[in-house]
Amino acid sequence: KANEEGIYRHLATVADGVDIPCILYNIPGRCGCSISAANMERLAQHPNIMGVKEASANVAFAASIAHLIGPEFRMFSGEDGIAVPLMSLGASGVISVWANVQPALVHEMCRAYLDGDTQRAREIQIAGQPLVHALFSEVSPIPCKYAMELLGLCGGELRLPLIGAGENTRRKLREALVQMGILIA
């Protein structure tokens, strides 16, 4: 954790040190603090910072920074479960865990929303909730790795301190994958 100025200086220093576009990652659940709206406003002016992956799960916070969105600064949902609501605030899409398991469907959801078919985007968002919840039933990426293993996409290896998914998570994932029609019971 750091105070506001420390957070700002750290992120600005990283952006100063590279010659590529950067995306901020606001994920207080992982790092114990959030990038404040005031710091987001300051950082959005940095020439190397082109956007934010907003993963606070706080739609009200996303709304408070939505005025920053424009050609030089974009917001992406970092929460699969609220990608469509964040897109309604101007997010360009989602940087997604769910897409590791169903990339075409997540793309279809975002494309539908961006093309004006909000009903289709809403349907996909709602139908995907059981799988999204299962993918976040333990510390990420544990559930995602197990789901990808079930689908034959990887071996499911994890590095310590992460360990394999518990039986309850395994059951939830199997059920959700079957419900979504991507795994045969």
Side-chain angles (χ1 to χ4, degrees):
K1 286 189 175 183
N3 64 22
E4 287 295 299
E5 188 61 22
I7 291 170
Y8 170 78
R9 288 186 191 184
H10 172 74
L11 295 170
T13 298
V14 170
D16 287 340
V18 297
D19 293 325
I20 58 172
C22 299
I23 297 176
L24 301 170
Y25 191 2
N26 189 35
I27 185 163
R30 284 258 187 192
C31 63
C33 59
S34 184
I35 303 171
S36 70
N39 269 344
M40 198 74 70
E41 182 116 20
R42 291 171 70 191
L43 292 162
Q45 304 308 311
H46 193 288
N48 283 348
I49 296 177
M50 59 79 57
V52 60
K53 177 181 177 181
E54 174 45 46
S56 69
N58 185 336
V59 176
F61 178 78
S64 77
I65 63 168
H67 70 280
L68 300 173
I69 298 170
E72 302 297 319
F73 189 83
R74 294 180 172 199
M75 180 184 348
F76 299 89
S77 176
E79 293 283 343
D80 285 304
I82 58 171
V84 170
L86 261 56
M87 291 175 73
S88 76
L89 294 170
S92 297
V94 59
I95 298 173
S96 173
V97 170
W98 179 17
N100 287 290
V101 177
Q102 286 189 297
L105 187 63
V106 174
H107 178 267
E108 180 184 345
M109 177 182 71
C110 293
R111 186 76 268 151
Y113 190 89
L114 295 171
D115 288 345
D117 190 351
T118 57
Q119 181 60 33
R120 179 66 183 139
R122 178 181 176 277
E123 290 168 359
I124 295 169
Q125 179 80 87
I126 291 169
Q129 291 303 300
L131 179 54
V132 169
H133 289 296
L135 287 168
F136 289 95
S137 59
E138 288 188 40
V139 173
S140 187
I142 292 169
C144 185
K145 284 283 205 157
Y146 180 67
M148 292 173 67
E149 181 181 5
L150 285 175
L151 299 173
L153 299 172
C154 73
E157 299 85 10
L158 295 159
R159 288 179 288 167
L160 290 173
L162 301 179
I163 59 170
E167 190 51 43
N168 191 41
T169 296
R170 290 172 180 258
R171 181 187 49 75
K172 285 181 190 176
L173 281 166
R174 276 188 236 103
E175 289 172 2
L177 291 168
V178 168
Q179 181 181 344
M180 294 297 289
I182 55 176
L183 185 68
I184 298 170

